[in-house]
Amino acid sequence: PPGVLRPPALRSGRTAMGLSDLFGGKAASGASGAAVTLPADSAPSWADLKAAVAATPAGEMLGEERALQAKGLGPPHTDARLRLFGAKSESEVRVTLFRDTAAWCPYCQKVWLLLEEKRIPYRLDKINMRSYGDKPRWFLDKVPNGLLPAIEIDGNFMTDSLPIMQALDQTFSGEGTPRMVPPPGPERDRASKLLGLERELFGAWCSLTFQPGKGLMDRNERAFMATLRRVDEALGESTGPWFLDSADHPTLVDLQYVSHVERMLASALYWKGIQIRGSGRFSNLEAWLPPPFGG
């Protein structure tokens, strides 16, 4: 019919090209009776692909790491189901962390980072978030509200990342174990204020990210950037690389910030076109961020 675009072969009256001209292989009869050529089955099997990958230098390294992970050893990884650190066997492990299957929940990440930083032996069970699957019945029997992260310490269950981190820091506070919460005094007061500022930053980020545009007269962008500048200034008040001067390692305050800040870097740039990292406006924040997120 007029106005309908047709393939060149049909417009010229020639026979359309068959699949055999492209792929080769065996011909089969189509619904119209015309010959239809199927591509040859030449793709390697999954087993062959797995073997080929395992034979590469990167594959060999990953294989070695997985073998260590199975023993509770090796470098940290979100798939590691057991971390022994100094424990002699799994029977000495007192903690089980329940985190999201995909390992992208920022609240689960905070708890995971604290366990790794303090080198607390733990088991890991991965549980679906409701956004991508049902939670197993056995987990709901233990944690009726189904919230993640959840943790079991000596048979006692907790949810909510911040109380979990505080409980872990208090329970595992032996000699040589870094303290994540400062003792009562000026540094704890400062930590409390910084945690409040983190909630302000989170709220400003949500208003910017989850609303159309950048707000009326760019109000949401201005509020987010102003709050981020306050965070950058707070980092500049510390003489060391972390939020608090009382420790030579990241504390609960750093862990509370980092899992959301690294998401802010990507989401603000992707969704709103706002560059934070590399902009030259937040030098203290850039020095604080670890590679590859910092300089």
Side-chain angles (χ1 to χ4, degrees), residues 44-64 66:
S45 68
W46 286 112
D48 291 339
L49 288 172
K50 184 176 180 180
V53 169
T56 66
E60 292 176 358
M61 180 186 70
L62 289 173
E64 293 171 359
R66 287 174 180 168

Side-chain angles (χ1 to χ4, degrees), residues 188-202:
R188 179 173 289 191
D189 294 340
R190 174 172 164 78
S192 181
K193 291 178 182 178
L194 288 168
L195 292 175
L197 179 58
E198 189 274 336
R199 290 292 83 191
E200 289 185 48
L201 180 65
F202 177 78

Side-chain angles (χ1 to χ4, degrees), residues 79-153:
D79 286 340
R81 298 304 181 104
L82 176 67
R83 297 287 281 160
L84 289 178
F85 297 115
K88 296 179 180 178
S89 69
E90 187 175 354
S91 63
E92 297 181 14
V93 176
R94 300 166 56 192
V95 174
T96 300
L97 170 64
F98 302 91
R99 73 170 302 173
D100 62 312
T101 304
W104 58 258
C105 167
Y107 300 98
C108 297
Q109 182 183 355
K110 300 174 198 292
V111 177
W112 178 67
L113 288 172
L114 183 139
L115 287 166
E116 289 289 331
E117 186 66 27
K118 286 181 69 75
R119 297 178 60 83
I120 299 173
Y122 68 93
R123 301 180 193 86
L124 177 72
D125 268 317
K126 288 196 170 184
I127 306 294
N128 281 335
M129 295 181 72
R130 290 190 176 93
S131 56
Y132 52 78
D134 295 331
K135 298 177 187 292
R137 182 72 258 172
W138 63 264
F139 177 72
L140 294 175
D141 289 341
K142 293 183 175 184
V143 186
N145 59 19
L147 291 178
L148 295 173
I151 204 158
E152 180 183 6
I153 307 175

Side-chain angles (χ1 to χ4, degrees), residues 144-199:
N145 59 19
L147 291 178
L148 295 173
I151 204 158
E152 180 183 6
I153 307 175
D154 297 330
N156 299 310
F157 285 84
M158 293 183 63
T159 58
D160 195 343
S161 58
L162 195 55
I164 286 174
M165 289 192 287
Q166 291 173 316
L168 286 169
D169 191 52
Q170 184 175 4
T171 303
F172 299 90
S173 57
E175 184 177 353
T177 302
R179 293 303 304 266
M180 296 292 154
V181 179
E187 276 288 81
R188 179 173 289 191
D189 294 340
R190 174 172 164 78
S192 181
K193 291 178 182 178
L194 288 168
L195 292 175
L197 179 58
E198 189 274 336
R199 290 292 83 191

Side-chain angles (χ1 to χ4, degrees), residues 164-273:
I164 286 174
M165 289 192 287
Q166 291 173 316
L168 286 169
D169 191 52
Q170 184 175 4
T171 303
F172 299 90
S173 57
E175 184 177 353
T177 302
R179 293 303 304 266
M180 296 292 154
V181 179
E187 276 288 81
R188 179 173 289 191
D189 294 340
R190 174 172 164 78
S192 181
K193 291 178 182 178
L194 288 168
L195 292 175
L197 179 58
E198 189 274 336
R199 290 292 83 191
E200 289 185 48
L201 180 65
F202 177 78
W205 172 57
C206 288
S207 295
L208 173 65
T209 305
F210 302 123
Q211 294 184 24
K214 297 179 181 180
L216 181 64
M217 299 181 68
D218 296 338
R219 178 179 59 189
N220 292 338
E221 178 185 12
R222 288 185 284 106
F224 172 68
M225 297 298 278
T227 311
L228 196 60
R229 278 192 292 272
R230 290 168 58 200
V231 172
D232 188 71
E233 290 167 1
L235 273 166
E237 294 170 1
S238 171
T239 59
W242 315 110
F243 274 98
L244 300 180
D245 281 331
S246 58
D248 58 356
H249 55 77
T251 65
L252 183 145
V253 175
D254 298 279
L255 303 186
Q256 181 73 358
Y257 272 87
V258 70
S259 64
H260 279 126
V261 168
E262 55 182 35
R263 286 158 175 80
M264 293 174 190
L265 300 178
S267 61
L269 181 60
Y270 183 82
W271 293 111
K272 306 298 178 178

